[in-house]
Amino acid sequence: MILVVGATGSLGGSIARRLLQEGKSVRLLVRPQSDAKPLVNLGGEFVAADLKDRASLDPAVHGIETVITTANSAIRGGADNPETVEHQGNQHLIDAAAAAGVRQFIFVSALGADPASPIPFLAGKGKAEQHLRASGLRLALREPNRVVGVGQCLFVWQATAHAAPPPRVGPGAP
């Protein structure tokens, strides 16, 4: 089963729909206040959780083979910010995935992500990348440099649709 985090967003929703159309088993990690009904109607399994609440992530990753996360704080505010979502939230998700024995973790980051960046969003993404690399999980990093669309969705879908390890892309990838 594949867990899509950020499934009610534009990119995450596109990925979830594509996977469901291909007949994949998809669990949708959705914040309690978000509407996942259109994806549930397509056959997605709904689980309410929040990246800021580490304990809520354990049931979400239970029995999951692949995690795909596109979640970010870019258009939110208040308690959803680069520190709580990009850094701590992704760290919580990575830790929960590693503890559950997830085989593959696909992380949509950002071009220029760097733990030392003066830009909080890029610093948070950089810290999450650093934590993911140290986690021991098989990973794919995607660092788009502009608004993503169908091509980004296809990259993530291909990484989950084939048995071969997904490619690592972006700065610093082998």
Side-chain angles (χ1 to χ4, degrees):
M1 180 171 277
I2 301 165
L3 176 68
V4 179
V5 182
T8 57
S10 179
L11 177 59
S14 294
I15 292 166
R17 276 189 299 283
R18 178 77 182 250
L19 292 168
L20 289 164
Q21 289 167 351
E22 292 291 324
K24 305 289 183 188
S25 295
V26 178
R27 184 176 297 157
L28 313 160
L29 188 150
V30 180
R31 292 178 299 146
Q33 67 272 25
S34 296
D35 180 19
K37 188 174 181 180
L39 293 169
V40 170
N41 289 341
L42 291 174
E45 177 187 314
F46 169 87
V47 61
D50 192 314
L51 292 177
K52 297 182 304 293
D53 178 3
R54 169 62 177 85
S56 75
L57 300 174
D58 291 330
V61 297
H62 178 75
I64 294 296
E65 183 174 317
T66 300
V67 170
I68 302 169
T69 182
T70 64
N72 64 73
S73 67
I75 59 170
R76 295 193 217 135
D80 293 329
N81 58 64
E83 181 59 26
T84 62
V85 176
E86 274 71 32
H87 176 211
Q88 295 170 0
N90 281 314
Q91 185 170 325
H92 293 325
L93 181 62
I94 293 162
D95 292 346
V102 168
R103 291 188 53 234
Q104 176 175 271
F105 198 102
I106 300 171
F107 180 64
V108 177
S109 186
L111 188 65
D114 182 336
S117 176
I119 301 168
F121 181 82
L122 295 177
K125 289 286 190 183
K127 290 172 187 174
E129 284 184 15
Q130 190 174 53
H131 191 72
L132 181 55
R133 285 187 180 102
S135 73
L137 290 165
R138 187 172 81 173
L139 62 104
L141 294 174
R142 183 68 174 145
E143 297 178 339
N145 62 353
R146 57 188 157 90
V147 175
V148 294
V150 174
Q152 185 80 1
C153 175
L154 291 175
F155 166 83
V156 176
W157 172 81
Q158 286 175 337
T160 61
H162 303 288
R168 290 184 61 201
V169 296

